[in-house]
Amino acid sequence: MPDYLTLLSADEPSPFGLENELGQSPFVIVCEHASARLPKSLGTLGLDDEHLTRHFMWDIGALDLAHIIAQRLDAPLATQRYSRMICDCNRHWEAESFIPTHGEGIPVPANADLTPAERARRRAEIWQPFQDGVANMLDAREARGQRTLFVTIHSFTPTFFGKQREVEYGVLFDRDTTLSPALLKALRAQHGEKALANEPYDMNRDSDYTVPVHGEDRGLDSVEIEVRNDLLSTREQIETRANELVFALREAAENLGVTTNPPKEGTTL
């Protein structure tokens, strides 16, 4: 598209969404891959319709799961409203995978051979507003004297390039030594080897941004949660997984000496 045009039109939503900003929970919930939405100016990125709802466009089930968890914890929920195929808001803007040229082996024609101006436009209109929104939210909590336990919610596919994944919950962290091990302990007490540390991915600063930068670099107790997306196929499944995670998060917080709100209706564990 010509350099003088903007990516988003006036009637399209901001990349950064924030609900329940003044929630009383110490937990903050973030979902960076919440949507498969594409800006109208980029059409379908050259992808066939059958590819537009596949997992490489977004984390299937993660937004609904994050909504329920945030509601039951009375926690703020920050979301990113555009597909990671526009640019990945869980990457540094200089990372090689910041704007993917393939998704699970499917070429993304509109992302091939991008000009520096197009990369800068996506950074300015999608990535930066989301990062600023998260940072401002955390600054405001600090100014109010609120303790923050920083949690991001993701999902992953049950198979990846033909390899079956048995793990159900992944607890991902880089430098965090508090919330992550406490949550892993709580999940393993329920699910044994179905809950693993840094699976199905490891966390590092080339492949992750939100927890390392917004969480760990601020000195916050931080964790990224990954849930296998075939376990999030129905509303009932999502409710079940949300209950399990709310229970485990509350237990992890208590192990850190952090008081949480009483569980809201629907949390049955």
Side-chain angles (χ1 to χ4, degrees), residues 103-115:
E104 298 176 11
I106 307 297
V108 183
N111 288 355
D113 300 322
L114 291 180
T115 65

Side-chain angles (χ1 to χ4, degrees), residues 220-235:
L220 300 178
D221 306 294
S222 306
V223 67
E224 176 180 319
I225 298 173
E226 293 272 359
V227 182
R228 212 175 66 205
N229 72 13
D230 62 320
L231 305 174
L232 304 173
S233 300
T234 68
R235 183 69 184 183

